[in-house]
Structure formats: C-alpha cells, structure tokens
Amino acid sequence: VRKDSPLIIGAGDEENFIASDVPAILKYTRNYYLLEENEIATIKSDRVEFCDMHKLPIKKEVQVSNLDMDAAEKGGYEHFMLKEIHEQPNAVKTTITPRIVNGMPDLSECGLTLEALKNYRKLFIVACGTAMHAGMVGKYVIEKLARTEVTVDIASEFRYRDPIITPEDLVIVVSQSGETAALHLAHDKGAKVLSVVNVKGSSIARESDMVLYTHAGPEISVASTKAFSVQMSVMYLLAFEMAYAKGHIDENECKRLTAKLAEIPDIIEKTMECEKKCKYVSSKLITAQSLLYIGRGLDYALSMEGSLKLKEISYIHSESYAAGELKHGTISLVEDGMPVIGVATQTELLEKTVSNIVEVKSRGAFTIAVCKEGTEFSEGVIDEAIEVPAMEDVLMPMLTVIPLQLIAYYTTVLKGLNVDKPRNLAKSVTVE
Ligand code: G6P
C-alpha cells in the first residue's frame, strides 16, 4: 500500500519489484507502475494487480523509465558525491538549454508566461536544507533584478505560521526529491504553487499547479550537490524573465544576462581546477572541532550551503554567519587555530567582508578565502585562498559552490567517513 511515502512497482519478466524509487529497479527492468496515495498492489511473480482502498480494481498504464543506468552508478568515481559534483556542468546545461529561446529565458512550458510573471505581487519560496539555500540565492537575485518581494521559508516553519498570501502571489516549492513531507502543506495557503523539482512524477510535482523540472538526473548521495546548482539555474532564469516582464531590464540586458548564464556550464568545468587546492585545504580541517563560514549578500547564502555540506558529512560542527553579524556574539568563539572560511566574491561587499576576516585573523583564526581569481588581500590576512573564475557578481554562486562542496567532500574522505551515507540522515525526508 502506498501511504505518505512514494512507492513504485517494477514490472520484470517473471519477476516484479517493490521499491521507493526507479533507480533501485533499473538493473532488472525499466518498466514500472506508479502507485498513488492509498492504492494497493498485489504482486505475484507473473502479474501485478491494483485496487483502491475499497478493493475496487484499478487499471494502470505501465511507465517506461528513460533514466540512464550509468547515471545511477558511480561511473569510475570513488563516491556518488564526487561524481555528482562533476556532473554539474552537464546538469546545468541540460536544465537551462531548452529554456532559452532566441536568447531569452522562456518558462512558458508550465504557464509562466510574460503576462503571468508581470502580475505576481510577491513570491514565497518554500524548501528545506540545500534547496532552501538555492531559494535564498533566488531571493537575492529576484529582488535585485525584478524588484519583487521574495520571502524564503523553511517548509516546516511556513506550515505553522500564518503568512499573508493573496491570489496575486506565487508560492514556489523547491525540492530535489519532490517528496519532502513539510512541503506538501505549502499548497494549503491559497496562492498558485509552482514547484521546481528534480524527480518526474513525484508527489510535489503532481500536487502543484505548475512544474519546472530540473534535469540533474538521479542524485544518490545524501549530501545534495548537483540538485543545488540546477535549482539555482532555474532561479536565474526566473529572475531574468521576471525582471524583463516587469520592465526593470530591457531585452538587451535580459539577453546579455541569459548569455552569461549559458556560459556557466563551461566555467563550472574550469572551476573544477581548484579541486587539488580544496583537497589540500581539507587536510588542514580534519582535526578541527568547529569552524565558521562567513559572507555577505549572495556570499552569505553560499556560506550557509558550505557550512551545511561540511557538517552533514564530516561531522565537524560548523556555523554560517552573515559576516557583519559576527561581532554581535559569535566572534567570542574564535580562538587560536579555529578555521574560518570567508566567502568573498561580491565586489561591492568585498572590503566589508575582508574587514571581518581581519577581525577573526587577529584573534588567531586560520583563515581561508573563497574568492574571485586575482583578488588581492593585504599581507597576513589570508592563510589559504581558493580562487574561482571571475564572473558577473550575480552569477558567482554557481561557481563559488564548487570549492565549498569539494572541501566538504575531501574533509570527509580524509576523515575516513561514509561520504554518501552520513549517519542519522536520509535522502528523502518523508515524515515531518
Ligand atoms: C534532506 C537531504 C538534504 C536535502 C533536504 C531537502 O534533508 O538530506 O540534502 O537538501 O532533504 O530535500 P529535497 O528533496 O526536498 O530537496
């Protein structure tokens, strides 16, 4: 019986399967049936029958998965996480290419026409974990370019507060799995729901009024990486198109930004050159008890993601702080040798963030900067700088995330821990 959590029935030859997701059965068959909530399947080796709660028979169409088998295997990498980090250029390309038409973003496939985008009053982005951090990037970019208010909520908080939502608003649910329990409730609040989801036919996709699928392919490692990049890429398309629809940028500027986004997959590939350096920096982190990630603006959103990635798999306590907020309490934690990672890619905020790095350095911190190629720091401020290619500030998160993911990965590997399956965590959190 399917109840609350996803369930599929794999239809093989003289053998049938019960699984929670398609990659689990791919080795045996591509054919499967999707169970809806409360539906019942009776499985024999040679047949499968379906009925509803009242035992009334149901006829179901067999679905054929086109998932790439290799995509569900490690393909030569030591861990799924490393494979998925390296799949990001392709995942982003596959997600954005069909949505760029004549140089302009085009999200009309799901009903997000220019007219609709022009008229939304306010956006609510609702998500959990890494997807919520992609939502934070979305908020910065949409507010900056489209001058439209965006609230980002953790789904489990959104559910129990009483947000002021009108029918002119749009609720955007962001989720890799499309099964995260707390997200279902976003639908009860009265506005139309757009979901940005990676898994076809997932519960959230089916419940939404509009769906924009991200095309990351199956993400197996519990720590989400490529899903984050594709979610951000959709946020950019949305921001650019909405900014144009609302008249805050003209067609030329919209095309220029879109072209920059289209270059991103190649530049992510180039960013991977920092891998060796990240491995080296990670070797300095493995004995740390605790560390801090700091940044401002978009860099703050990325600090949050970097910190989550590190703590969830390496079990090293870490916190992310808006750099300017450090001195309001947290800086008292800094002592000799404590690693502090300063994410400093935003030109306008660089000086401010650097002054916060100086503050922790003078208290003995071991300072690591993630910055644009060629960023210069005064002597003695930064112990290790990890440079990423320099791009338009607004797009930097697509690159900045790479070293943050790699640091989490290598620190965990060097500690000898289970990278893909960290303790106490699950890939899909289907209970609240
Ligand atoms: C779990 C996973 C995280 C993920 C979060 C949201 O906590 O461990 O990696 O970011 O759920 O999942 P979703 O599938 O909704 O994106």
Side-chain angles (χ1 to χ4, degrees):
V1 182
R2 173 175 173 163
K3 181 82 184 78
D4 297 331
S5 303
L7 196 65
I8 61 150
I9 308 298
D13 192 15
E14 297 288 305
E15 52 179 4
N16 295 301
F17 305 85
I18 303 171
S20 59
D21 206 352
V22 177
I25 58 157
L26 276 184
K27 237 188 244 170
Y28 312 98
T29 177
R30 296 195 158 270
N31 299 340
Y32 69 99
Y33 299 96
L34 209 60
L35 283 193
E36 301 287 340
E37 190 65 4
N38 292 326
E39 287 182 350
I40 302 166
T42 309
I43 302 181
K44 301 274 166 63
S45 61
D46 60 344
R47 73 197 126 96
V48 185
E49 283 155 10
F50 301 97
C51 65
D52 66 11
M53 277 163 71
H54 312 287
K55 292 200 179 159
L56 294 171
I58 303 172
K59 238 190 121 28
K60 277 197 176 282
E61 293 290 319
V62 67
Q63 319 265 334
V64 182
S65 167
N66 59 4
L67 273 186
D68 185 352
M69 259 267 276
D70 282 351
E73 306 207 333
K74 285 188 205 148
Y77 286 95
E78 202 180 333
H79 300 102
F80 281 112
M81 183 175 175
L82 190 60
K83 173 179 176 247
E84 288 160 5
I85 289 173
H86 281 275
E87 282 172 347
Q88 291 177 108
N90 205 30
V92 171
K93 192 182 271 175
T94 318
T95 300
I96 62 173
T97 308
R99 290 163 176 148
I100 300 176
V101 178
N102 298 328
M104 292 287 279
D106 185 346
L107 303 173
S108 57
E109 66 189 71
C110 69
L112 279 180
T113 55
L114 279 178
E115 191 57 23
L117 286 169
K118 185 174 151 199
N119 293 325
Y120 290 122
R121 186 191 67 113
K122 188 176 169 186
L123 308 182
F124 292 84
I125 301 182
V126 187
C128 306
T130 289
M132 198 271 290
H133 298 150
M136 282 188 64
V137 171
K139 173 187 165 75
Y140 279 107
V141 180
I142 295 166
E143 288 190 341
K144 186 176 174 65
L145 297 174
R147 311 305 298 148
T148 300
E149 198 183 337
V150 184
T151 311
V152 181
D153 274 88
I154 297 170
S156 52
E157 289 295 313
F158 188 72
R159 175 168 188 178
Y160 298 110
R161 75 181 181 93
D162 199 4
I164 302 154
I165 302 183
T166 71
E168 287 87 62
D169 302 334
L170 179 67
V171 174
I172 306 177
V173 172
V174 186
S175 173
Q176 188 284 128
S177 64
E179 301 296 343
T180 304
L183 287 167
H184 294 279
L185 266 293
H187 298 244
D188 295 351
K189 305 281 187 187
K192 284 253 185 286
V193 175
L194 162 72
S195 61
V196 178
V197 173
N198 197 47
V199 178
K200 298 252 152 53
S202 52
S203 309
I204 289 163
R206 281 180 289 141
E207 283 167 19
S208 313
D209 302 294
M210 298 174 272
V211 189
L212 285 174
Y213 281 111
T214 50
H215 302 303
E219 193 181 61
I220 311 289
S221 182
V222 165
S224 186
T225 53
K226 59 177 177 171
F228 179 69
S229 290
V230 292
Q231 286 159 352
M232 281 196 294
S233 69
V234 170
M235 292 294 143
Y236 284 111
L237 288 174
L238 185 64
F240 300 164
E241 197 175 2
M242 193 171 220
Y244 173 66
K246 287 188 179 267
H248 294 292
I249 56 173
D250 63 15
E251 189 176 328
N252 280 344
E253 176 64 359
C254 191
K255 283 189 167 159
R256 191 189 67 81
L257 288 166
T258 309
K260 290 272 172 212
L261 181 66
E263 283 173 26
I264 285 283
D266 288 342
I267 306 177
I268 299 178
E269 198 67 71
K270 209 169 168 306
T271 309
M272 298 287 174
E273 286 170 12
C274 71
E275 186 160 351
K276 232 171 137 186
K277 175 83 189 205
C278 291
K279 191 171 178 184
Y280 170 72
V281 168
S282 300
S283 72
K284 306 259 178 199
L285 302 181
I286 51 177
T287 52
Q289 293 293 311
S290 178
L291 54 85
L292 291 174
Y293 285 76
I294 59 172
R296 291 171 181 252
L298 281 168
D299 287 334
Y300 174 44
L302 270 283
S303 297
M304 291 178 76
E305 176 54 10
S307 168
L308 175 64
K309 228 45 348 152
L310 183 86
K311 78 181 102 184
E312 68 179 321
I313 56 175
S314 76
Y315 313 147
I316 298 175
H317 170 257
S318 83
E319 277 193 69
S320 145
Y321 256 81
E325 186 64 8
L326 256 195
K327 52 176 144 309
H328 300 289
T330 314
I331 199 163
S332 72
L333 291 173
V334 177
E335 51 188 4
D336 224 22
M338 183 192 206
V340 176
I341 300 187
V343 184
T345 69
Q346 300 294 300
T347 314
E348 265 182 20
L349 302 167
L350 185 66
E351 205 184 304
K352 294 275 170 203
T353 304
V354 170
S355 75
N356 300 122
I357 300 177
V358 170
E359 284 163 7
V360 294
K361 182 72 203 162
S362 66
R363 277 137 186 113
F366 172 64
T367 52
I368 299 154
V370 174
C371 55
K372 281 183 181 170
E373 224 162 36
T375 307
E376 286 185 15
F377 299 98
S378 312
E379 198 158 326
V381 172
I382 302 297
D383 292 302
E384 297 295 342
I386 302 175
E387 296 193 334
V388 293
M391 260 301 247
E392 190 102 2
D393 276 7
V394 97
L395 285 163
M396 281 309 292
M398 298 288 299
L399 310 179
T400 313
V401 73
I402 304 296
L404 298 175
Q405 295 168 341
L406 288 167
I407 287 174
Y409 173 77
Y410 280 111
T411 305
T412 307
V413 170
L414 293 172
K415 285 188 77 177
L417 297 168
N418 188 340
V419 180
D420 287 331
K421 285 196 186 137
R423 70 186 179 206
N424 308 344
L425 293 175
K427 185 68 185 158
S428 294
V429 183
T430 52
V431 287
E432 224 199 314

